[in-house]
Amino acid sequence: MALQSAGDLLKRAIELDTAMKYSESLVCYEEGIQVLIRLMREAKNDTEKKSFHSKVEQYLARAEEIKKIVKSSEQDSHQRVKCIQIKEGDTGFSYASVFGPCLDNNITDVTVQDPYIKAKHQVHNFVRFCELLVQECSKLQSVTLVTIQADFREQSQWLGELKESLKKRKISLDIQYSTSLHDREVRFSNGWIVKMGRGLDYFQRPKGQFTIGFSNYNLRPCLETTIETFHRLNTQFVQTKHDK
């Protein structure tokens, strides 16, 4: 039974390895190797032990190579600063398109700093963004919004409704008001940071409620803005780049 399990795991590891899905492959290699080591220790004769030992060494060698590939890939990813220049009237820049590359199931906390989550359409934008997080981040526990408090009570009512909706999904929404906030950025607990010239409100107002782009943000024309995405491991690089 254990031998079959090891065989299935290592067969899957090789398939993923061949497909260059190295992170997933490494998990299967490591689990399969652990089963082989257990079988080696439980082997009743030297011949069996040597056979298992040979297989363990073979798969361990490949697993170590893949670890280097994965580490190198992660470092390269963290060294890249992606800059999106959106021109007036451009389409194809929904929240899924812009933030999707940053999202994964390791994210537990997200912080949004945006002074303009006040008007009704801006709160709607924030709701759309939270919907994306709920859909793509299965371990999400909390969302923090830092914004400027409006001088009308509807803002707190709208955000309060969203807070209750997220609470039903066991996600907390912490709303913090600032009187001097200017920067617009989103920080994810997996290390990714997105800086946005216009914050979440970079879409043009739709021509009407029954026009293309009203519901699908990927089809809605945008306002001109710049969006930068980078990893916190590379924060020093970004600061140096901006100082030049």
Side-chain angles (χ1 to χ4, degrees), residues 19-67:
M20 294 188 292
K21 296 182 178 179
Y22 296 120
S23 295
E24 298 95 326
S25 174
L26 181 59
V27 172
C28 291
Y29 271 124
E30 289 178 337
E31 290 182 359
I33 289 168
Q34 287 301 315
V35 177
L36 285 180
I37 290 174
R38 191 175 80 241
L39 289 170
M40 181 178 67
R41 291 171 177 170
E42 294 173 353
K44 297 179 180 179
N45 58 67
D46 291 341
T47 302
E48 284 187 352
K49 286 183 183 292
K50 288 180 179 180
S51 176
F52 284 127
H53 185 267
S54 176
K55 292 181 182 297
V56 167
E57 285 192 331
Q58 175 189 342
Y59 291 120
L60 266 178
R62 182 54 186 163
E64 288 301 318
E65 290 176 357
I66 292 178
K67 281 182 182 179

Side-chain angles (χ1 to χ4, degrees), residues 223-241:
L223 299 165
E224 185 171 352
T225 191
T226 300
I227 299 175
E228 286 189 327
T229 302
F230 55 94
H231 199 275
R232 67 185 174 206
L233 293 179
N234 196 30
T235 301
Q236 184 63 44
F237 170 79
V238 174
Q239 289 174 342
T240 303
K241 170 176 170 286

